[in-house]
Amino acid sequence: MLKIDKVSYKGILKGVGFDVFDNELVVITGPNGSGKSTLAKCIMGINKISSGKILFGKKDISKESITERAKLGVSFAFQQPVKIKGVTVRDLLISAGTNKPEKYLKMVGLVPEEYLERELSNTLSGGELKRIEIASILARDAKLMIFDEPEAGIDLWSFNDLVDVFKKIKKDHTIIIISHQERIIKLADRVLVLENGQVSRECTADEFLEEVK
Ligand SMILES: Nc1ncnc2c1ncn2[C@@H]1O[C@H](COP(=O)(O)OP(=O)(O)OP(=O)(O)O)[C@@H](O)[C@H]1O
Ligand SMILES: [Mg+2]
């Protein structure tokens, strides 16, 4: 599905390489500042890589625009969701391609009636925005879904629901989750550790959790 081949970016990423296979859930973890969000932005095309290659399916997407990558089936939920003035939650979800926005709000634990007509602005709390962003990625149902720290700012109760959502969709979706959370790491088919701009370890969730104990 995805091949990252010796990808470097501005001295932050230094020859990162790994594959993600169809219907696999890969969790990328590692210290703050190691380059995880930067890597996700490189895959989505927000950052233009300095060298290396990114293959999506058999296609080299290294030089494709964000829009083109989105069309091909790459989607990305930001660590810090973007606010868009004048755009409602309903607009966002509809533009993600669903005609059942309610369904996706329920999936992330929000009551549709209370949120559909709200604007994507500062009046939404950080956790609410984050959940709406996750809902929009779920609604997009892209070939590859990338989530950057979906747990960030989400309360414990909703976090449990979120873990269940990932558990449910992982069977038939290809997913990359950047996370520091043990419960998310446990869902992984494979764990990649990014340290200082390089993949320092690739292992199963059990192996990883055993080591950090
Ligand atoms: N546009 C930029 N200009 C300069 N430095 C940047 C830029 N973007 C990221 N960095 C730096 O690159 C490094 C990697 O940042 P990145 O956000 O990818 O880390 P991360 O692994 O996602 O960390 P965290 O776990 O805190 O989210 C950091 O030292 C950061 O300060
Ligand atoms: Mg980050």
Side-chain angles (χ1 to χ4, degrees), residues 6-23:
K6 299 194 199 78
V7 163
S8 295
Y9 176 77
K10 288 189 175 171
I12 299 171
L13 302 179
K14 303 162 187 163
V16 174
F18 61 90
D19 290 278
V20 179
F21 302 105
D22 286 354
N23 295 333

Side-chain angles (χ1 to χ4, degrees), residues 3 6 12 16 19 24 27-28 36 40 46 48 50 85 105 135 143 161 170 174 182-183 185 210:
K3 187 177 189 67
K6 299 194 199 78
I12 299 171
V16 174
D19 290 278
E24 199 180 20
V27 170
I28 301 178
K36 303 178 299 295
I46 299 159
K48 298 280 173 252
S50 320
K85 264 211 143 160
L105 286 180
K143 284 187 195 149
D161 284 356
K170 69 170 270 192
T174 310
E182 179 169 345
R183 296 212 32 219
I185 292 171
E210 193 55 41

Side-chain angles (χ1 to χ4, degrees), residues 140-179:
R140 193 152 284 160
D141 200 26
K143 284 187 195 149
L144 173 66
M145 306 185 189
I146 307 169
F147 297 91
D148 193 354
E149 295 193 30
E151 71 266 21
I154 303 244
D155 64 73
L156 211 65
W157 182 84
S158 314
F159 177 64
N160 290 334
D161 284 356
L162 192 62
V163 170
D164 286 341
V165 169
F166 287 129
K167 214 181 268 174
K168 212 183 291 170
I169 65 171
K170 69 170 270 192
K171 284 174 233 111
D172 49 3
H173 289 83
T174 310
I175 307 167
I176 297 176
I177 309 179
I178 295 168
S179 179

